[in-house]
Amino acid sequence: MVDKQSPLPIYFQLEEEIKNRIDQKELVPGDLIPSEREFAEQHGISRMTVRQAISDLVNEGYLYRQKGKGTFVARKKIEQPLHRVTSFTEDMIARGMKPSSRLVRFEVVSVSDQTAEELAVESSEPAYEIKRVRLADGLPMALETNIIPVRLAEGLTEEHAHGSLYDYVAGSLPSPIDYARQVIESSAAHESESEALGIPKGSPILLIRQNTYLADGTPFELVKSAYRADRYKFIIDMHRISD
Ligand code: 16G
């Protein structure tokens, strides 16, 4: 219920109420929520206020709209903590979900100068370029492109790329995968991303660039991933270190 005497804006109170109902499982993914008119009447507030609350919750990924049908409760986002270097396969299994991949491209290429520098290889050195849609329980989560020097994943085939790349290389690397740096920025899905991820063009995505290194410092891969912003959030744990 909204409290008109409260200093908190009414749209914000309504957002909290809807989020609570989702937390309490009174509203579950796929449920149609009441219409703007119904909310407005129930709470004695304006439809404009209701619209603002609902738009915010759509933008935050709690709800989604379907043209001509109404507004529904979305699945909970996958929460990805960012303090360990894990593979997509490990992440999904840890959550009790079934990982799979749809292979979009598998090629051996000569890398560009910029990529060669980042991978610390000669630009003539062959590298795998592997583009995959990563799915969890059959739902597309990310479009991922990896560039890995052939030398570090000898014998890799399309077949292997359907499974876990980290599993494939685990036994044969000169030293284990150890460290990664990710840069995350927001973006809007281009044509190819929207097709691969099953979202309208221009939908919000989280663009991640990752450089991964082995324990001996050898660069292992360059990755560019586009994650669906409505299905994913990244969590960073921090400590305050006093000096
Ligand atoms: C993760 C990594 C990626 C890695 C992949 C291997 C990002 C941002 N991070 O998705 O660097 O190549 O896992 O997963 O994409 P796999 O072992 O399941 O193939």
Side-chain angles (χ1 to χ4, degrees):
M1 277 294 130
V2 298
D3 173 3
K4 290 187 178 159
Q5 307 309 317
S6 163
L8 294 171
I10 292 175
Y11 73 86
F12 180 81
Q13 294 183 46
L14 181 58
E15 285 175 28
E16 291 302 302
E17 183 195 308
I18 298 172
K19 283 194 213 168
N20 273 335
R21 287 171 67 180
I22 297 174
D23 282 345
Q24 304 296 321
K25 304 207 166 32
E26 266 174 57
L27 286 170
V28 296
D31 277 358
L32 176 68
I33 64 157
S35 66
E36 272 176 25
R37 187 177 47 78
E38 285 167 322
F39 269 125
E41 279 171 9
Q42 272 169 21
H43 293 82
I45 56 180
S46 79
R47 284 179 66 161
M48 267 242 299
T49 305
V50 176
R51 195 167 309 149
Q52 177 165 6
I54 291 177
S55 293
D56 285 351
L57 293 175
V58 168
N59 290 336
E60 289 169 36
Y62 288 95
L63 305 175
Y64 65 95
R65 290 197 176 95
Q66 270 196 318
K67 267 215 182 83
K69 292 194 176 150
T71 306
F72 298 83
V73 178
R75 291 170 166 262
K76 208 166 173 278
K77 289 188 186 185
I78 289 182
E79 298 185 351
Q80 169 79 58
L82 292 180
H83 58 265
R84 286 184 58 213
V85 181
T86 49
S87 73
F88 183 83
T89 303
E90 289 166 342
D91 289 342
M92 293 310 119
I93 292 174
R95 291 185 174 82
M97 300 174 97
K98 191 172 173 290
S100 61
S101 298
R102 195 183 306 139
L103 195 58
V104 179
R105 183 162 71 235
F106 183 95
E107 270 179 84
V108 174
V109 297
S110 302
V111 295
S112 70
D113 288 351
Q114 161 81 31
T115 305
E117 203 178 307
E118 288 191 51
L119 287 175
V121 297
E122 299 292 326
S123 50
S124 54
E125 184 169 334
Y128 295 107
E129 186 173 323
I130 303 163
K131 193 171 194 165
R132 301 179 290 174
V133 181
R134 311 301 310 260
L135 306 102
D137 287 343
L139 289 174
M141 294 290 151
L143 178 64
E144 185 184 283
T145 308
N146 300 56
I147 301 185
I148 303 174
V150 169
R151 183 171 37 85
L152 296 174
E154 292 284 0
L156 185 77
T157 64
E158 293 195 10
E159 203 59 45
H160 300 122
H162 280 103
S164 167
L165 294 180
Y166 280 14
D167 279 355
Y168 177 78
V169 296
S172 59
L173 289 170
S175 71
I177 292 174
D178 178 58
Y179 166 79
R181 163 170 288 183
Q182 289 191 346
V183 176
I184 305 177
E185 59 187 312
S186 70
S187 186
H190 292 301
E191 184 95 45
S192 61
E193 290 154 345
S194 73
E195 270 170 28
L197 297 172
I199 47 178
K201 221 169 108 185
S203 304
I205 53 173
L206 294 163
L207 212 55
I208 306 181
R209 287 190 182 79
Q210 179 168 331
N211 295 58
T212 311
Y213 301 87
L214 306 182
D216 67 4
T218 309
F220 169 67
E221 63 173 356
L222 277 188
V223 183
K224 202 176 141 192
S225 294
Y227 277 79
R228 283 184 57 151
D230 61 339
R231 298 217 165 127
Y232 243 84
K233 59 177 160 189
F234 293 91
I235 298 182
I236 302 167
D237 291 311
M238 287 177 277
H239 291 279
R240 181 162 165 81
I241 299 173
S242 46
D243 42 20

